[in-house]
Amino acid sequence: MAPLFTGSKFAFGLSPLVAAAVDPVVAGVYLSYGWYGGATGSTAVDRIDWANDTVTASARGSNRASSSNGGGLSNLTHGWFSGGYTAGGNSTVDRITYASDLSGGSSRADCPQSSNGRPGGFSNTTYGYWGPGMNGNGGAASSEVTRVDFANDLTAPANRTNTASPYIAHTGGASDFSTYGWMLGGQFGGAGGVVGPNWSSVYRLTYASDTSALSTRGNLANISSGFACGNQTHCWIGGSTDSLVSSITRVTFSNDLATSTNRGNLVRAMRRSGSGSNTYIWWAGGYASGTPYSDVERMEYVNDLSTLSPRGPMSLTRICLATNHMTLG
């Protein structure tokens, strides 16, 4: 089977890795496509074919709710989309089946809180986790870390632990797919819709003891409310709306107490979402200065100091969509 990856709301992907000092990926099964959702006023899901990424993304099925943010999770066969900005908040969870992605999303159990804002997603092969979102349209950001059991997704996702700060939303999520998951950056969100600065903190969750307090790790070189994507050894997080950050910064999982290192730059400075194969990350959609975009830019792991390469566009503009991070099978 071709390479697998996951993304966030919403996206869900071997070559030698040497130039950027990125360790070789672990042998496994990877998907050949990325699925993206999260467009205001539209429930449509786009799919990018990794082998043909210069054409416009292919429109597939739809989700239940139209929303411009959300968190995505994935395994080898399905992707889960949760949350997003809609009037009154959105706690719905939809599941897309990759083999029949023209059929649209299937309704699963809703999250216990309204994840209105971007709840960063990450997963191992058994469970998926969503980090804090924002409760209601203009409400306070939550601190909950919520877990969904992939094999029992009609049961409501359960709160496992909480972040150190009760006011972080729009976190990026990353995973090594076996031992740890990371939540990176984010944005202050207070009661009454108060929006504060972006954060540079990095927190780590241990899958085997996921009810324990998160471990505080190093910091991002740039404050960020962008979305993360990665492989088994590193993750990259890029973009922010507040300060229009264009740089992409990289966290090395084996050295996560260190400050992340800045790598290449986005072609357009804004908050972006990434999904990836074992070789590349495709950053898609985005939002800056009140304008949504349909851009797609590609970053190569072994050449991550270079400015990204423009690829084909999405079929429509997408505000801060989330994509599913790569998953190893």
Side-chain angles (χ1 to χ4, degrees), residues 139-165:
S142 73
S143 63
E144 296 180 359
V145 178
T146 301
R147 188 183 77 181
V148 60
D149 183 344
F150 290 151
N152 190 27
D153 63 358
L154 288 174
T155 299
N159 174 230
R160 305 301 291 176
T161 187
N162 295 76
T163 58
S165 169

Side-chain angles (χ1 to χ4, degrees), residues 6 66 74 78 108 112 118 120 132 139-140 145 178 201 206 229 239 254 256 264 284 289 291 297 311 326:
T6 77
S66 167
S74 180
H78 299 85
R108 318 311 290 175
R118 179 83 103 124
V145 178
S178 60
S201 300
T206 302
C229 188
S254 63
D256 63 358
S289 302
T291 302
E297 301 173 15
R311 315 310 290 176
M326 191 176 95

Side-chain angles (χ1 to χ4, degrees), residues 68-79:
S68 60
N69 281 260
L73 304 169
S74 180
N75 62 15
L76 284 169
T77 57
H78 299 85

Side-chain angles (χ1 to χ4, degrees), residues 59-151:
R60 314 305 291 176
S62 297
N63 289 308
R64 282 180 294 163
S66 167
S67 58
S68 60
N69 281 260
L73 304 169
S74 180
N75 62 15
L76 284 169
T77 57
H78 299 85
W80 287 260
F81 300 159
S82 175
Y85 282 117
T86 58
N90 180 15
S91 61
T92 61
V93 176
D94 286 344
R95 188 183 74 183
I96 187 171
T97 301
Y98 296 143
S100 56
D101 62 358
L102 288 173
S103 300
S106 169
S107 173
R108 318 311 290 175
D110 285 0
C111 280
Q113 78 277 3
S114 179
S115 299
N116 199 27
R118 179 83 103 124
F122 55 94
S123 62
N124 55 25
T125 57
T126 306
Y127 299 108
Y129 296 80
W130 283 295
M134 186 173 290
N135 292 325
N137 198 8
S142 73
S143 63
E144 296 180 359
V145 178
T146 301
R147 188 183 77 181
V148 60
D149 183 344
F150 290 151

Side-chain angles (χ1 to χ4, degrees), residues 155-217:
T155 299
N159 174 230
R160 305 301 291 176
T161 187
N162 295 76
T163 58
S165 169
Y167 300 120
I168 296 180
H170 298 279
T171 53
S175 177
D176 65 5
F177 316 119
S178 60
T179 308
Y180 300 113
W182 286 260
M183 285 180 288
L184 311 99
Q187 186 176 44
F188 176 91
V194 175
V195 176
N198 292 336
W199 295 85
S200 62
S201 300
V202 175
Y203 300 101
R204 190 178 73 186
L205 177 142
T206 302
Y207 291 133
S209 56
D210 64 1
T211 58
S212 300
L214 299 173
S215 172
T216 302
R217 315 307 293 173

